[in-house]
mmCIF file of all heavy atoms in Angstrom:
data_model
loop_
_atom_site.group_PDB
_atom_site.id
_atom_site.type_symbol
_atom_site.label_atom_id
_atom_site.label_comp_id
_atom_site.label_asym_id
_atom_site.label_seq_id
_atom_site.Cartn_x
_atom_site.Cartn_y
_atom_site.Cartn_z
ATOM 1 N N PRO A 577 11.589 -15.391 -8.955
ATOM 2 C CA PRO A 577 10.196 -15.734 -9.310
ATOM 3 C C PRO A 577 9.224 -15.668 -8.131
ATOM 4 O O PRO A 577 8.040 -15.379 -8.322
ATOM 5 C CB PRO A 577 10.315 -17.174 -9.841
ATOM 6 C CG PRO A 577 11.740 -17.302 -10.278
ATOM 7 C CD PRO A 577 12.539 -16.449 -9.342
ATOM 8 N N ASP A 578 9.713 -15.925 -6.923
ATOM 9 C CA ASP A 578 8.828 -15.934 -5.756
ATOM 10 C C ASP A 578 8.203 -14.566 -5.475
ATOM 11 O O ASP A 578 7.212 -14.470 -4.739
ATOM 12 C CB ASP A 578 9.590 -16.402 -4.511
ATOM 13 C CG ASP A 578 10.000 -17.870 -4.603
ATOM 14 O OD1 ASP A 578 9.425 -18.569 -5.457
ATOM 15 O OD2 ASP A 578 10.887 -18.299 -3.849
ATOM 16 N N LEU A 579 8.792 -13.511 -6.019
ATOM 17 C CA LEU A 579 8.249 -12.174 -5.775
ATOM 18 C C LEU A 579 6.925 -11.946 -6.504
ATOM 19 O O LEU A 579 6.165 -11.052 -6.155
ATOM 20 C CB LEU A 579 9.253 -11.105 -6.222
ATOM 21 C CG LEU A 579 10.581 -11.047 -5.456
ATOM 22 C CD1 LEU A 579 11.489 -9.998 -6.082
ATOM 23 C CD2 LEU A 579 10.346 -10.731 -3.986
ATOM 24 N N GLY A 580 6.660 -12.716 -7.549
ATOM 25 C CA GLY A 580 5.415 -12.551 -8.294
ATOM 26 C C GLY A 580 5.369 -11.298 -9.147
ATOM 27 O O GLY A 580 4.286 -10.815 -9.500
ATOM 28 N N ALA A 581 6.527 -10.752 -9.508
ATOM 29 C CA ALA A 581 6.555 -9.511 -10.282
ATOM 30 C C ALA A 581 6.086 -9.714 -11.720
ATOM 31 O O ALA A 581 5.644 -8.772 -12.370
ATOM 32 C CB ALA A 581 7.964 -8.914 -10.275
ATOM 33 N N ALA A 582 6.185 -10.952 -12.220
ATOM 34 C CA ALA A 582 5.826 -11.203 -13.620
ATOM 35 C C ALA A 582 4.375 -10.835 -13.903
ATOM 36 O O ALA A 582 4.064 -10.256 -14.950
ATOM 37 C CB ALA A 582 6.076 -12.674 -13.965
ATOM 38 N N SER A 583 3.469 -11.161 -12.980
ATOM 39 C CA SER A 583 2.055 -10.850 -13.211
ATOM 40 C C SER A 583 1.823 -9.349 -13.278
ATOM 41 O O SER A 583 1.016 -8.861 -14.072
ATOM 42 C CB SER A 583 1.186 -11.474 -12.115
ATOM 43 O OG SER A 583 1.580 -11.012 -10.830
ATOM 44 N N ASP A 584 2.545 -8.570 -12.441
ATOM 45 C CA ASP A 584 2.449 -7.108 -12.503
ATOM 46 C C ASP A 584 2.874 -6.597 -13.872
ATOM 47 O O ASP A 584 2.264 -5.694 -14.445
ATOM 48 C CB ASP A 584 3.344 -6.471 -11.441
ATOM 49 C CG ASP A 584 2.688 -6.431 -10.072
ATOM 50 O OD1 ASP A 584 1.470 -6.635 -10.016
ATOM 51 O OD2 ASP A 584 3.397 -6.195 -9.091
ATOM 52 N N MET A 585 3.951 -7.179 -14.387
ATOM 53 C CA MET A 585 4.485 -6.725 -15.664
ATOM 54 C C MET A 585 3.530 -7.050 -16.806
ATOM 55 O O MET A 585 3.358 -6.254 -17.738
ATOM 56 C CB MET A 585 5.858 -7.360 -15.910
ATOM 57 C CG MET A 585 6.911 -6.953 -14.882
ATOM 58 S SD MET A 585 8.497 -7.769 -15.172
ATOM 59 C CE MET A 585 9.315 -7.482 -13.597
ATOM 60 N N VAL A 586 2.909 -8.227 -16.739
ATOM 61 C CA VAL A 586 1.945 -8.611 -17.779
ATOM 62 C C VAL A 586 0.743 -7.672 -17.743
ATOM 63 O O VAL A 586 0.278 -7.189 -18.790
ATOM 64 C CB VAL A 586 1.505 -10.073 -17.592
ATOM 65 C CG1 VAL A 586 0.342 -10.407 -18.528
ATOM 66 C CG2 VAL A 586 2.677 -11.018 -17.851
ATOM 67 N N GLU A 587 0.233 -7.386 -16.531
ATOM 68 C CA GLU A 587 -0.902 -6.479 -16.394
ATOM 69 C C GLU A 587 -0.568 -5.083 -16.913
ATOM 70 O O GLU A 587 -1.433 -4.385 -17.452
ATOM 71 C CB GLU A 587 -1.314 -6.386 -14.924
ATOM 72 C CG GLU A 587 -1.996 -7.632 -14.394
ATOM 73 C CD GLU A 587 -2.349 -7.487 -12.930
ATOM 74 O OE1 GLU A 587 -2.845 -6.413 -12.555
ATOM 75 O OE2 GLU A 587 -2.111 -8.431 -12.165
ATOM 76 N N ALA A 588 0.691 -4.690 -16.757
ATOM 77 C CA ALA A 588 1.104 -3.357 -17.196
ATOM 78 C C ALA A 588 1.371 -3.297 -18.697
ATOM 79 O O ALA A 588 1.690 -2.235 -19.227
ATOM 80 C CB ALA A 588 2.356 -2.921 -16.434
ATOM 81 N N GLY A 589 1.266 -4.447 -19.389
ATOM 82 C CA GLY A 589 1.420 -4.454 -20.838
ATOM 83 C C GLY A 589 2.832 -4.664 -21.323
ATOM 84 O O GLY A 589 3.161 -4.323 -22.465
ATOM 85 N N LEU A 590 3.695 -5.255 -20.491
ATOM 86 C CA LEU A 590 5.092 -5.437 -20.899
ATOM 87 C C LEU A 590 5.256 -6.326 -22.130
ATOM 88 O O LEU A 590 6.079 -6.006 -22.997
ATOM 89 C CB LEU A 590 5.918 -5.986 -19.726
ATOM 90 C CG LEU A 590 7.421 -6.167 -20.002
ATOM 91 C CD1 LEU A 590 8.056 -4.856 -20.441
ATOM 92 C CD2 LEU A 590 8.141 -6.721 -18.778
ATOM 93 N N PRO A 591 4.514 -7.445 -22.270
ATOM 94 C CA PRO A 591 4.713 -8.270 -23.474
ATOM 95 C C PRO A 591 4.543 -7.482 -24.775
ATOM 96 O O PRO A 591 5.344 -7.614 -25.710
ATOM 97 C CB PRO A 591 3.647 -9.367 -23.331
ATOM 98 C CG PRO A 591 3.427 -9.480 -21.864
ATOM 99 C CD PRO A 591 3.551 -8.078 -21.338
#
Side-chain angles (χ1 to χ4, degrees):
D578 293 343
L579 295 176
S583 58
D584 278 345
M585 297 178 196
V586 171
E587 288 179 44
L590 183 57

